[in-house]
Amino acid sequence: MTEQIIKPDVKFINDIIASGGESVKKCFQCATCSVVCNVTPDDNPFPRKEMLQAQWGLKDKLINNPDVWLCHQCSDCTAYCPRGAKPGEVLNAVRQLSIKHVSMIPLFAKIAQDPKLIWLLFAVPIVLFYVVMRFAHHETLEFIRLGENMDQMVYHMFIPADPHMNAPFPLKMIFALTAVFSVLSAVVGVNRLWTGMKAQAGQLKSGGNLMEDIISSVKTIFAHSKFADCNVNRLRQWGHMLLSYSFAGLAISGILALIYSYLFNITGPYALTNPMKLLSQASMIAFLAGIVILIYNRFTQAGKAGMGSYFDWIFLSIVAGIGATGLLALGFRLANMSAGYAAFYLHFVFVWLLLAYAPYSKFAHLFYRTTAMVFAKYSGREGKQV
Amino acid sequence: MAENKKVLVIGGGFSGLTAAVETAEAGFEVIIVEKTPFFGGRVTQLNKYFPKLCPPNCGLEINFKRIKNSGDIILHTLAEVEKISGQEGNYDVTIKLSPRFVNDKCVGCNACAEACPVEMPNEFNFGMNKTRAAYITHNQAFPFKYVIDGKNCKGTSCSKCVAACKYDAIHLDMKAETINVNVGAIVLATGWEPYDVTKLDILGAGQIKNVITNMQMERLASPNGPTDGKILRPSDSKPAMNIAFVQCAGSRDENHLPYCSYICCMASLKQVTYVREQYPDSTARIFYIDIRTPGTRYEQFYRKIQGDQNVTFTKGKVARITEDPATKDVIVEAEDVMSGKKIKARFDMVVLATGMVPSTRAAKIPGDIAYTPEGFVAAASLNKGIYAVGSLKSPVDVARSVQDATGVAIKSIQSARR
């Protein structure tokens, strides 16, 4: 065996500790975690080895390690850990650092992840949508201010949404541009992660069929079959399923809204029977149920799974914020109460935060866990699911 | 010169017996109260001591003989302390004596047990076999006097044992009584319990037949145990030829016992020799976090077992135990930390190296006694004149219990003279 010189990266260890992995040094390598984990491959299982790598600050080994992402944070390891080393929380911290490492614009990752920059996180969309609002028709603002002659509250006049509304930055355009930015960031990040994992893995066991592996991974993700293997966070399967299906539903209805307004010049408010509207209403219900289940699970399982970090809670808060402000905006509109405008304004602040920081916040797991799952199959790390 | 007072020892296991004989041989009167019907405690349940591998009875018998030769020891079995008050040099203690229903005329002929129609789980053998309500734990029990189990005996309505006894030794109308004693010092020696395996859910929770505890293994290997010393697995009484030892079953785990139980590594290494001696073709595998064999003799013992080709040591804690429903074989899962591979191995029988729980975790001693969060007696915070010994303070082996009890004897003598 050739001699190997291990250089501990102290900064990386401290970063893990600062990112919610403060328990990392308690691990004494008993390997209970690798056995109670139901989602690890049997060969070279995680998270015991990752705990050792984290204690030694072996950054390259960790951030280019698909296993870090194959972990679904069931927290069975954390519940059974005899030392309170919380492997689930440590791997979550490593994932957070991995997101930062592969990010296209590291400043965005810093804003999304640093609790000290929470003011900046919120300031950007608050100012942005205020500016957009100021570009609304002068008379609309007057209507709203005076509360006159409005049979029905019309949000899209408050913040101009559609292209024909004569506003330089209509809402839908802002969201379309933000989405482009997010997709670009994600593509860059996924590419960096893939390259890193490939370099770290060295010679791949089997050159898989990439398309096949992608389809198989997406199927697994949609079926939520990995979540079903969790014990402690079992309830999360349903919360996450509802939430992710609702995101898909809302994304489709959002794209439909863009098509309506840009291709067919049909603008809102849309009839409640409109298929796009129906889809978004159904998604909204699933969204609310999903986020309530997830937060309930967090609180009830905290004793076993740990309380999570800022990284988790800011993401959950933004998602919950979208649900709460959306529900309030709808309620106030139906009740014809002008407080709805404030709710509507905040709703877009939250939605924009989610979208703009998607590849930088915890939401990035959508891209990177998928990438790692595909890589695991592609590299022969994980058996193909039939 | 101050008046010499008596010393009370609570608990008649090896620690308590040692403290009692050492104190008595220095010329002080001693009272021992033992909760069960027999003296000797956990040591009587062992097959062999480590690391010398001699039978525990040799050590116990010496102590029993010393007790018999000393006129200054008052023995109470089936006795429990109900109240302690006072201070160093002057403690008033209330003791409840439960009836044995058998007097000193008993010669140990076994006629009562043969006549007794009531069967009950044999607690001495950890429920691995049954005993009658009229019983003696084993052939070298002290006192060698049968006992009628008060809870399970049908009482005077049955009286079959009374009729069977030729010596007028059985009196089912014996009543419990309470006595008060005044002593100068008190030695707490109530010992330990094995950790409750039903709490170890991933290790089978006590539901898998061929998964036993290390203390059950002692009984299985003991010539006076339920199988007359043959190591047979419980499901089908076949020789257990391929055994896994699961270390730290509850110990070193903040979800269970947040401390090392000290004896389990040596106990498992010792039990490996039971199997290997009995069946030359047998194999054993020890799953561990670290093997802890402190000192010179224990480390040498470990080295000796390591030299056995049929014994495998695997670094990696077992975190899942299941049963093959068809064969009743036991499937053990662990990660071999050295190779990074997950192991799923099949065994005839599995021994859980369950840890030591101080008896005071569940049953507190009446009186002003301080405890650690784990339930051990906080020795440094005890009132003057009260001392704790052995496994009541921290997990220890027999040798250290004896040393500790000998030291405590002199402390209690000092208190008894104040």
Side-chain angles (χ1 to χ4, degrees), chain B residues 202 208 211 318 320-325 327-333 343-347 350:
Chain B
I202 50 176
I208 301 174
V211 177
V318 172
R320 191 172 290 141
I321 298 181
T322 47
E323 182 181 54
D324 177 345
T327 61
K328 302 290 175 192
D329 287 350
V330 188
I331 317 289
V332 164
E333 286 179 59
I343 297 167
K344 218 173 180 179
R346 177 182 289 264
F347 296 94
V350 168

Side-chain angles (χ1 to χ4, degrees), chain A residues 345-361:
Chain A
Y345 170 75
L346 287 175
H347 186 60
F348 280 96
V349 167
F350 280 116
V351 174
W352 187 84
L353 278 175
L354 187 78
L355 186 62
Y357 290 96
Y360 301 98
S361 67

Side-chain angles (χ1 to χ4, degrees), chain A residues 26 28-38 40-45 48-49 78-85 231, chain B residues 201-202 251-256 288-290 315-320 333-344:
Chain A
K26 290 186 179 173
F28 66 177
Q29 293 285 299
C30 72
T32 297
C33 49
S34 297
V35 181
V36 295
C37 177
N38 288 327
T40 176
D42 279 352
D43 178 45
N44 225 350
R48 196 265 315 156
K49 62 183 161 61
T78 299
Y80 282 102
C81 177
R83 298 271 289 185
N231 289 321
Chain B
D201 57 348
I202 50 176
S251 300
R252 300 181 77 192
D253 187 335
E254 62 179 38
N255 304 310
H256 300 283
Y288 66 93
I289 304 173
D290 316 283
K315 184 172 169 64
K317 193 176 167 178
V318 172
R320 191 172 290 141
E333 286 179 59
E335 185 198 354
D336 179 358
V337 172
M338 295 308 185
S339 71
K341 298 258 188 295
K342 215 162 173 176
I343 297 167
K344 218 173 180 179

Side-chain angles (χ1 to χ4, degrees), chain B residues 276 279-285 307-312:
Chain B
R276 295 287 300 116
Y279 309 120
D281 296 332
S282 60
T283 53
R285 188 166 188 173
D308 186 335
Q309 301 272 315
N310 285 15
V311 182
T312 316

Side-chain angles (χ1 to χ4, degrees), chain B residues 154-200:
Chain B
K154 291 179 190 165
T156 45
S157 65
C158 171
S159 292
K160 287 195 171 119
C161 54
V162 180
C165 182
K166 287 186 255 173
Y167 305 93
D168 187 31
I170 301 176
H171 291 272
L172 295 176
D173 53 357
M174 283 185 191
K175 295 277 181 294
E177 53 180 314
T178 304
I179 57 169
N180 295 301
V181 295
N182 183 266
V183 295
I186 299 172
V187 178
L188 310 176
T190 56
W192 62 280
E193 304 283 339
Y195 187 62
D196 179 5
V197 287
T198 61
K199 289 178 181 161
L200 301 168

Side-chain angles (χ1 to χ4, degrees), chain A residues 263-278:
Chain A
L263 292 184
F264 301 105
N265 269 337
I266 311 166
T267 60
Y270 303 101
L272 281 172
T273 49
N274 186 303
M276 185 269 284
K277 200 77 185 168
L278 280 176

Side-chain angles (χ1 to χ4, degrees), chain B residues 78-302:
Chain B
L78 296 157
E80 281 182 85
V81 169
E82 286 190 323
K83 195 172 164 235
I84 297 173
S85 61
Q87 62 283 322
E88 184 183 32
N90 187 25
Y91 280 109
D92 286 311
V93 182
T94 308
I95 302 164
K96 187 191 168 197
L97 304 173
S98 296
R100 190 181 192 95
F101 304 109
V102 178
N103 63 25
D104 288 346
K105 291 179 185 167
C106 175
V107 296
C109 70
N110 204 41
C112 55
E114 281 163 22
C116 178
V118 180
E119 271 201 333
M120 56 181 206
N122 188 340
E123 274 180 43
F124 187 71
N125 289 335
F126 300 99
M128 289 190 291
N129 66 349
K130 294 260 168 68
T131 183
R132 299 297 166 97
Y135 71 101
I136 197 159
T137 48
H138 62 105
N139 51 9
Q140 282 166 304
F142 176 75
F144 199 75
K145 199 160 72 168
Y146 275 63
V147 56
I148 314 282
D149 186 85
K151 277 196 200 112
N152 289 287
C153 172
K154 291 179 190 165
T156 45
S157 65
C158 171
S159 292
K160 287 195 171 119
C161 54
V162 180
C165 182
K166 287 186 255 173
Y167 305 93
D168 187 31
I170 301 176
H171 291 272
L172 295 176
D173 53 357
M174 283 185 191
K175 295 277 181 294
E177 53 180 314
T178 304
I179 57 169
N180 295 301
V181 295
N182 183 266
V183 295
I186 299 172
V187 178
L188 310 176
T190 56
W192 62 280
E193 304 283 339
Y195 187 62
D196 179 5
V197 287
T198 61
K199 289 178 181 161
L200 301 168
D201 57 348
I202 50 176
L203 302 183
Q207 299 302 305
I208 301 174
K209 275 198 160 173
N210 291 326
V211 177
I212 63 170
T213 68
N214 46 6
M215 281 305 284
Q216 284 178 317
M217 182 64 170
E218 291 296 330
R219 296 310 303 143
L220 270 190
S222 259
N224 59 27
T227 54
D228 300 325
K230 290 186 204 75
I231 301 169
L232 309 173
R233 64 179 200 168
S235 72
D236 49 15
S237 293
K238 279 190 193 150
M241 298 291 288
N242 171 24
I243 300 187
F245 291 87
V246 174
Q247 297 309 112
C248 294
S251 300
R252 300 181 77 192
D253 187 335
E254 62 179 38
N255 304 310
H256 300 283
L257 303 175
Y259 50 83
C260 169
S261 290
Y262 189 84
I263 53 121
C264 324
C265 283
M266 278 303 287
S268 291
L269 292 169
K270 173 185 71 171
Q271 291 175 354
V272 163
T273 68
Y274 299 171
V275 187
R276 295 287 300 116
E277 269 174 24
Q278 195 162 119
Y279 309 120
D281 296 332
S282 60
T283 53
R285 188 166 188 173
I286 299 183
F287 292 90
Y288 66 93
I289 304 173
D290 316 283
I291 295 286
R292 292 187 159 179
T293 49
T296 50
R297 291 190 307 161
Y298 289 178
E299 190 72 4
Q300 281 162 9
F301 192 81
Y302 174 31

